[in-house]
Every structure is written in structure tokens, then in C-alpha cells.
Amino acid sequence: EAGVAQSPRYKIIEKRQSVAFWCNPISGHATLYWYQQILGQGPKLLIQFQNNGVVDDSQLPKDRFSAERLKGVDSTLKIQPAKLEDSAVYLCASSLGRDRGLDTQYFGPGTRLTVL
Amino acid sequence: AQSVTQLGSHVSVSEGALVLLRCNYSSSVPPYLFWYVQYPNQGLQLLLKYTTGATLVKGINGFEAEFKKSETSFHLTKPSAHMSDAAEYFCAVSGKAAGNKLTFGGGTRVLVKP
């Protein structure tokens, strides 16, 4: 079974530029999550989708971050414009979406973003 | 609201020695508790989880954890460390009312000395 795929793996940009990350979840997984992991910290949930609807985006900085999952499968996370403090690893995860609180989340390898 | 505190950002153990990673949580609802491991340049992998029932949970790679409600703890142990256990470990809490939202601790990096 293929895991969660993410691309690119690494990205270096200058502040005020835009960047986009792509995630393809495990086939059949209804729930998709984007996390931000700053160096030395645990992952922080940015946004959670159930199929193509947003379940939780309370910690997404909506003035600069956006995410979509138009067809309920793969997803894109965008930052526009980027700030220095956005330097982090962006992790995508997916789960079946059947058992609230019991689902195991499967994580992709992440995209490491460096903002100069 | 939920939160997780992992005591010790770095732990150093000798190969063959006991591994003990501490995790305390705060939750206003019955918690679901998780331990994840992250190897360099990789995503997180689930080691074990507690939802309900038996409070001693066994996971992969010889790890286990015990849920102690009175102490609000979920410490992770492995009797004998192996070099391959060198990684970062994250404790996380969720719950039915939290809609599967995971709240992670800050992580503990484990170094295994030969």
C-alpha cells in the first residue's frame, strides 16, 4: 500500500515570495491534515479536511496561508507571501475518517521550507 | 483544551539500557493518547496508542506505554535500547470531542550510545 506522498521535499524561497506544497493521501482516506513543524517543536495542526470540506482551520494564518482539496483526494497548501517565521517542515497526514478520535493518522515525509 | 508536556527534550541511553520517555497530558475529556517516532528526514510513524480498555499498551519495536489517569501520564518504555531506536519521539493527545485533532508535545530526541 502506497503511503502519503508529498512534494517537493525541500524548498528555499525569499521572504515575500509564494510557495505551494502538494499532498496525495493514502487511497480511500477521507480525512487529510496539514501540520506545521517548526524546528525543535512538535507538529501543529493547520487545517483538517473531511473529503473536500474543512473541519478545522482554527490555527491556519488565513491572511497568508490557504489550502484546498477540491476533489476530496489530493490537496495543496499555499503560502503567499512567505515570512521568515514560516520556515518549518510541512507535514501532510491522512486517515480513514470513520472513527472520530480513533483514526490512526499516517504521515508523509514532509516538505522542508526555508525562507531567507 | 488539550495539552501535552514531554519532560526532557534530549535523552541519552546506552545500548541495552532501559529507555524511559515521560509524557504528561491535560484534557477536559477522556483522552486518546499516542506515541509517534520520527526518524531523520522522515514523517511520523505511530508506535502505539491508547483509546480505552487495558491501560498497558504494547506497540511496535518492543515499546510499551502505560496510561495512568491519576497521574495524567502516558510514559513510554523499552526494556533494552537498540542503536536503531535513535530518533525523535512525540507524545500526542486526542479525544472523541476533539474530532481526531492531535495535539503534540515538544518531542524528545533519543541518543543511543554504543
Side-chain angles (χ1 to χ4, degrees):
Chain A
E1 177 182 89
V4 177
Q6 290 188 247
S7 66
R9 291 295 312 277
Y10 304 91
K11 189 73 176 179
I12 300 174
I13 61 172
E14 296 192 349
K15 60 183 178 183
R16 291 188 289 273
Q17 286 187 321
S18 302
V19 65
F21 313 125
W22 174 82
C23 171
N24 191 32
I26 293 172
S27 177
H29 280 195
T31 310
L32 185 146
Y33 315 77
W34 283 102
Y35 290 86
Q36 180 191 57
Q37 186 178 17
I38 293 172
L39 187 64
Q41 299 180 19
K44 181 184 80 172
L45 180 70
L46 292 176
I47 188 167
Q48 176 181 345
F49 291 95
Q50 179 76 12
N51 297 308
N52 60 352
V54 175
V55 174
D56 185 345
D57 63 356
S58 57
Q59 297 193 88
L60 186 74
K62 298 180 187 62
D63 58 332
R64 297 184 300 106
F65 285 65
S66 64
E68 59 184 14
R69 193 185 184 201
L70 292 175
K71 296 183 179 179
V73 181
D74 56 352
S75 175
T76 302
L77 177 70
K78 296 180 181 177
I79 308 175
Q80 180 180 5
K83 293 185 175 182
L84 296 177
E85 59 260 36
D86 298 332
S87 293
V89 175
Y90 291 85
L91 294 165
C92 179
S94 70
S95 66
L96 279 171
R98 292 178 189 171
D99 295 314
R100 290 171 65 85
L102 295 178
D103 270 358
T104 295
Q105 295 186 27
Y106 296 87
F107 285 79
T111 297
R112 182 177 298 276
L113 174 67
T114 302
V115 182
L116 302 175
Chain B
Q2 299 174 306
S3 66
V4 174
T5 301
Q6 291 184 239
L7 296 176
S9 59
H10 291 80
V11 167
S12 181
V13 298
S14 297
E15 193 173 16
L18 171 72
V19 179
L20 171 60
L21 305 183
R22 299 180 186 275
C23 171
N24 289 88
Y25 71 90
S26 172
S27 178
S28 57
V29 297
Y32 300 147
L33 296 158
F34 305 79
W35 275 100
Y36 280 86
V37 61
Q38 186 176 33
Y39 298 101
N41 298 315
Q42 295 186 27
L44 281 73
Q45 179 184 4
L46 182 68
L47 277 178
L48 49 82
K49 66 179 179 182
Y50 167 81
T51 54
T52 58
T55 57
L56 182 62
V57 180
K58 295 187 184 300
I60 62 171
N61 301 340
F63 284 93
E64 63 181 35
E66 186 171 11
F67 169 59
K68 292 187 176 181
K69 184 178 179 181
S70 61
E71 299 177 8
T72 61
S73 69
F74 191 56
H75 302 331
L76 181 71
T77 59
K78 182 174 180 178
S80 177
H82 191 271
M83 295 300 290
S84 60
D85 295 326
E88 189 152 22
Y89 293 78
F90 292 93
C91 182
V93 63
S94 179
K96 212 166 191 178
N100 213 34
K101 175 180 176 178
L102 283 173
T103 299
F104 285 89
T108 299
R109 186 170 297 279
V110 173
L111 172 67
V112 182
K113 298 177 293 185

